[in-house]
Amino acid sequence: MTDTAPDAAPAVAHFRFFELEVLRTRRLGHSFLRVTFGGESLADFRSGGYDQSLSLFLPPSHQEHTVLPSTDEDTWFGAWRAMPDADRPVMRSYTVREQRRTPEGVDEVDIDFVLHGDGSPAASWAGRAVTGRRIMAIGPAVAENKSVRFQPPAATDALLIYADETALPAAAAILDRLAAGTRVSAWFEVPHEDDRIALDTLADADITWIVREHSAGKERADRVLDVLRATEPPAAQAPYVWLAGEAGTIRAVRRHFVQERSIDRRAVRFTGYWRLGASEEELLAEAYAGKAASEDPASEL
């Protein structure tokens, strides 16, 4: 999953640069490719789990590895922005699907890419990723960091989750880490029938797949809402809602939970990973200009 509106300058107390080397790739379904990264610097990588995000710097097609003019905490951003357009690595935010240490003592991180088929820089890079390719990333140096957005209160007695394909890796990572017996209703929207990947969880999870096929725009959001309205989530005194995906659909889904199901808006955490009709570069420009959509649970939509 990709988040196309990363923070312009991640907090240095929580984040640092890492060099990631492609170890292997694996196709998960029609739209998903998993890239497994290694590298000595991952010994200091501290994923907080759940929907942990990090920023990748992907090299242009004419370069094999990522080249950055600076990784100094005070100068890297200006130096990166000053690079010629043709040589500047593309910065994209993704979520960590899994971090682990192998029996051989090797640290690995899995990141799942959506292969949109639209020539996007991240999908294009992932499609040609081979063993040995190296990229740079800004990732977590401490597990308790602001890029883990899934933060249900201790009193939560049910979880309600919606994700499209870009947020499915984060949602899957959340399900992985839930305790046995946790009550969950989850709705996952994917482009194709064979994108319904196997999900492991100890939670008491009721998962509904919404296969989009050719739905788009308002038709797409309406279809999601029709499925939500036809499903009865578990009764709960203190539900927590986590929503991530296309920004317009997320707004509609959030209104459904707040207005139609009377869930306290402060218990709804929502993130627009992308926006229909806007390029990734446009969203990045908005983020740099401080115009990115609010993620404040109390904000008005």
Side-chain angles (χ1 to χ4, degrees):
M1 95 90 204
T2 181
D3 183 341
T4 56
D7 294 330
V12 295
H14 287 177
F15 297 85
R16 52 160 286 191
F17 276 95
F18 294 86
E19 184 177 64
L20 309 181
E21 181 177 339
V22 176
L23 300 181
R24 57 189 176 274
T25 65
R26 179 163 69 95
R27 194 69 178 255
L28 302 180
H30 185 282
S31 303
F32 297 101
L33 179 73
R34 176 166 296 167
V35 180
T36 298
F37 295 95
E40 293 183 3
S41 65
L42 282 177
D44 297 320
F45 191 88
R46 297 290 183 267
S47 172
Y50 299 108
D51 55 348
Q52 174 71 66
S53 66
L54 76 169
S55 293
L56 303 178
F57 293 82
L58 305 170
S61 58
H62 63 276
Q63 294 180 352
E64 187 173 359
H65 310 296
T66 298
V67 176
L68 290 175
S70 172
T71 56
D72 180 83
E73 64 185 46
D74 295 321
T75 63
W76 76 264
F77 186 71
W80 170 75
R81 289 284 285 165
M83 294 179 71
D85 290 347
D87 297 328
R88 185 188 306 117
V90 172
M91 182 168 67
R92 293 290 185 267
S93 287
Y94 273 77
T95 48
V96 176
R97 178 60 182 86
E98 184 180 352
Q99 179 187 3
R100 63 186 167 274
R101 175 162 290 183
T102 69
E104 295 75 29
V106 177
D107 292 282
E108 297 182 346
V109 166
D110 292 336
I111 297 178
D112 293 350
F113 291 80
V114 180
L115 303 181
H116 305 280
D118 59 359
S120 67
S124 297
W125 178 87
R128 65 177 187 272
V130 295
T131 300
R133 292 279 172 86
R134 296 188 303 277
I135 65 172
M136 299 299 295
I138 293 179
V142 295
E144 297 293 331
N145 64 78
K146 67 177 183 178
S147 285
V148 178
R149 298 182 176 98
F150 181 79
Q151 302 282 353
T156 299
D157 56 358
L159 297 172
L160 308 178
I161 297 173
Y162 163 81
D164 70 7
E165 66 270 25
T166 64
L168 183 57
I174 289 170
L175 289 176
D176 274 353
R177 291 165 173 81
L178 294 179
T182 304
R183 296 187 303 154
V184 182
S185 284
W187 297 265
F188 297 143
E189 181 191 1
V190 292
H192 303 283
E193 188 73 27
D194 60 356
D195 288 327
R196 302 193 301 176
I197 60 178
L199 299 172
D200 296 325
T201 184
L202 296 175
D204 179 11
D206 180 15
I207 297 174
T208 300
W209 292 93
I210 306 171
V211 180
R212 183 168 65 250
E213 294 299 344
H214 303 296
S215 300
K218 186 177 184 298
E219 176 189 353
R220 170 181 176 171
D222 288 345
R223 184 173 183 181
V224 170
L225 291 174
D226 287 343
V227 174
L228 290 174
R229 289 170 179 142
T231 310
E232 191 59 41
Q237 295 297 315
Y240 180 80
V241 183
W242 182 91
L243 313 171
E246 194 279 319
T249 304
I250 292 302
R251 285 195 296 270
V253 171
R254 180 173 181 259
R255 289 192 185 102
H256 165 76
F257 283 114
V258 172
Q259 297 178 6
E260 298 182 33
R261 295 195 182 271
S262 300
I263 293 177
D264 188 334
R265 67 178 63 246
R266 293 170 297 181
V268 180
R269 188 62 191 249
F270 62 99
T271 310
Y273 280 6
W274 63 288
R275 190 172 73 229
L276 194 66
S279 71
E280 293 175 297
E281 308 313 318
E282 288 170 337
L283 294 176
L284 284 170
E286 290 179 7
Y288 301 146
K291 297 178 181 179
S294 172
E295 292 180 309
D296 180 355
S299 69
E300 295 291 341
L301 286 178

